[in-house]
């Protein structure tokens, strides 16, 4: 199994991986050795603890019209909601009381929440002692600076795909260059930056997936989430299939662990949608983070980016101990910033 002279064992054991080797790993008929290696690397560089981030999906209004996304502007079937700042704060407070060390605020690109509103929510949540991660989409550098000044620690913005032409077809009226500008601004402003891609998009190639991984390395990211694409019935991509996307996403994630050994990698919710044990499997193929949804059901059932999205009632972080213990893992009581584990061992 070689492209040039390296055997699979060598490829897995001796980074850096070439673009060709990444493509080869993505098409491995039996990915078990890749998954095993990613699990070993995960254990060595980030340990056995799993970091839980409580996800609050506070608004599904979105000005964008991404062809794959269920909350796209043109989806007239989406039932729109917007939590009040007070509701967001109360949800965050409950999550912190339940043991969560990080609160993730996510929404569509909703203009109602201007920088002042977001900054005031961040300041309130920071007073609870939680780390704050934002996932609000593309903003100006000034807005990112304002959130940062208010205390935001991390920002998640997936590149979705590094294939610029594909990106601009699937995300009409959006600019790939602007998305990269956002990621660069976030880095310069001192955020921990999370990015990631969708896997299984129509027209996406193994070469472009390899490019995504090299892009994450070049930034470099502090975190990256790999999500299998799941067609939503109320979108122009309704007729697409999700077959094979779960395994391909797991492979992408495992290769990412080899390339960026100490970053945070979430076991994504979309993986759980495609496989009943999706997140636990992902945690055994390189992942070390879970983002349980702590949003009230009445709201998050309408945050339908794709069908069948797992939504759980707000639950105590400790409730995860049991299922994680079964795979030899624990819930961390730390914040889980990038590199914390290695520092704690020096
Ligand atoms: N399937 C899977 N993931 C999706 N996202 C949006 N639509 C879908 C879909 N149909 C992901 C995007 C976005 C994240 C919040 O949700 O990658 O960045």
């Amino acid at each position: 199994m070689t492209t040039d002279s390296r055997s699979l064992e060598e490829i897995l054991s001796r980074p850096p991986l070439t673009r060709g080797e990444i493509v080869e790993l993505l098409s491995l008929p039996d990915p078990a050795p890749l998954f095993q290696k990613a699990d070993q690397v995960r254990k060595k560089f980030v340990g056995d603890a799993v970091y839980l981030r409580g996800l609050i999906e506070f608004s599904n209004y979105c000005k964008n019209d991404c062809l794959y996304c269920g909350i796209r502007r043109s989806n007239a079937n989406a039932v729109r909601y917007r939590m009040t700042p007070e509701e967001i704060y109360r949800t965050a407070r409950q999550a912190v009381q339940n043991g969560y060390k990080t609160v993730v605020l996510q929404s569509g690109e909703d203009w109602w929440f201007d920088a002042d509103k977001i900054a005031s929510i961040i300041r309130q949540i920071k007073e609870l002692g939680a780390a704050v991660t934002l996932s609000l989409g593309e903003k100006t550098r000034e807005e990112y600076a304002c959130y940062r000044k208010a205390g935001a620690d991390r920002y998640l913005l997936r590149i979705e795909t590094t294939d610029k032409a594909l990106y601009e077809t699937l995300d009409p009226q959006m600019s790939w260059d602007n998305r990269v500008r956002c990621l660069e601004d976030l880095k310069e402003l001192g955020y921990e930056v999370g990015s990631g891609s969708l896997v299984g998009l129509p027209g996406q190639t193994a070469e472009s997936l390899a490019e995504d991984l090299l892009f994450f390395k070049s930034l470099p990211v502090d975190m990256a989430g790999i999500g299998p694409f799941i067609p939503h019935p109320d979108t122009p991509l309704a007729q697409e299939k999700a077959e094979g996307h779960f395994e391909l996403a797991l492979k992408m994630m495992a290769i990412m662990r080899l390339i960026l050994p100490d970053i945070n990698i979430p076991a994504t919710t979309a993986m759980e949608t495609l496989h009943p044990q999706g997140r636990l499997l992902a945690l055994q193929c390189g992942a070390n983070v879970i983002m349980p949804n702590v949003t009230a059901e009445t709201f998050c059932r309408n945050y339908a980016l794709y069908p069948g999205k797992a939504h759980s009632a707000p639950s105590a972080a400790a409730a995860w101990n049991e299922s994680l213990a079964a795979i030899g893992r624990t819930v961390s009581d730390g914040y889980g910033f990038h590199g914390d584990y290695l520092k704690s061992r020096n």
Side-chain angles (χ1 to χ4, degrees):
M1 232 6 254
T2 55
T3 38
D4 34 49
S5 57
R6 307 217 301 163
S7 68
L8 177 59
E9 183 48 38
E10 273 179 306
I11 292 174
L12 292 179
S13 306
R14 262 178 260 143
L17 300 181
T18 65
R19 189 177 278 98
E21 286 168 346
I22 298 174
V23 170
E24 187 176 338
L25 292 177
L26 284 170
S27 38
L28 271 182
D30 173 16
L34 165 64
F35 293 162
Q36 215 179 354
K37 189 74 194 180
D39 198 43
Q40 288 165 5
V41 172
R42 184 271 310 154
K43 190 177 174 74
K44 182 169 165 194
F45 287 86
V46 295
D48 283 331
V50 173
Y51 298 96
L52 301 182
R53 325 284 202 202
L55 176 65
I56 305 178
E57 297 165 331
F58 66 87
S59 164
N60 68 354
Y61 281 88
C62 192
K63 68 179 171 66
N64 295 327
D65 216 16
C66 306
L67 268 53
Y68 44 78
C69 186
I71 63 167
R72 66 197 302 266
R73 175 183 77 216
S74 306
N75 182 9
N77 291 335
V79 178
R80 304 287 167 175
Y81 72 90
R82 192 176 270 143
M83 288 167 67
T84 64
E86 178 63 22
E87 285 165 337
I88 299 169
Y89 173 70
R90 276 196 257 113
T91 307
R93 191 177 55 193
Q94 195 185 355
V96 172
Q97 283 164 356
N98 282 335
Y100 288 90
K101 296 283 182 179
T102 293
V103 171
V104 183
L105 301 179
Q106 187 175 91
S107 67
E109 290 195 14
D110 179 357
W111 280 351
W112 189 84
F113 285 95
D114 60 22
D116 286 346
K117 289 198 182 80
I118 295 290
S120 127
I121 296 167
I122 295 167
R123 278 192 295 269
Q124 279 186 299
I125 298 178
K126 287 296 286 186
E127 275 175 29
L128 299 168
V132 171
T133 301
L134 302 176
S135 178
L136 316 175
E138 296 183 14
K139 305 286 172 183
T140 62
R141 186 183 174 102
E142 291 66 36
E143 287 169 303
Y144 289 146
C146 168
Y147 310 150
R148 179 87 184 119
K149 198 164 154 233
D153 301 280
R154 312 187 185 99
Y155 204 101
L156 307 181
L157 184 73
R158 287 185 178 171
I159 192 70
E160 314 295 359
T161 172
T162 47
D163 179 335
K164 183 173 171 171
L166 180 62
Y167 179 90
E168 291 181 355
T169 305
L170 295 178
D171 303 336
Q173 290 121 46
M174 292 179 77
S175 143
W176 189 85
D177 290 333
N178 189 52
R179 205 152 183 94
V180 175
R181 188 276 303 163
C182 289
L183 289 166
E184 287 169 355
D185 279 348
L186 290 163
K187 281 225 66 123
E188 284 168 20
L189 290 164
Y191 283 91
E192 283 214 337
V193 173
S195 192
S197 349
L198 276 171
V199 168
L201 292 169
Q204 197 175 35
T205 62
E207 284 72 19
S208 100
L209 290 174
E211 210 53 60
D212 293 359
L213 296 177
L214 296 172
F215 173 77
F216 302 145
K217 187 180 172 187
S218 73
L219 271 170
V221 294
D222 300 291
M223 169 171 172
I226 302 296
F229 161 58
I230 306 170
H232 189 294
D234 296 328
T235 64
L237 302 184
Q239 301 312 319
E240 298 291 330
K241 300 276 175 286
E243 266 87 66
H245 296 179
F246 175 64
E247 192 182 274
L248 190 57
L250 274 189
K251 284 177 172 170
M252 269 291 274
M253 202 194 68
I255 302 166
M256 188 157 71
R257 175 58 77 199
L258 305 186
I259 295 176
L260 290 159
D262 68 350
I263 65 167
N264 284 317
I265 301 183
T268 57
T269 312
M271 290 181 171
E272 188 93 348
T273 302
L274 291 183
H275 189 293
Q277 296 290 312
R279 283 186 290 195
L280 287 182
L281 284 170
L283 288 171
Q284 297 170 87
C285 298
N288 70 319
V289 170
I290 306 182
M291 296 167 59
N293 202 326
V294 297
T295 321
E297 229 287 301
T298 42
F299 296 117
C300 72
R301 68 159 154 254
N302 291 316
Y303 199 84
L305 307 174
Y306 47 85
K309 197 166 127 295
H311 42 70
S312 49
S315 63
W320 283 87
N321 269 322
E322 209 173 309
S323 46
L324 291 176
I327 58 165
R329 307 282 279 280
T330 53
V331 173
S332 171
D333 58 5
Y335 289 104
F337 285 105
H338 179 195
D340 276 359
Y341 178 75
L342 289 182
K343 272 182 237 140
S344 75
R345 294 172 57 89
N346 286 332

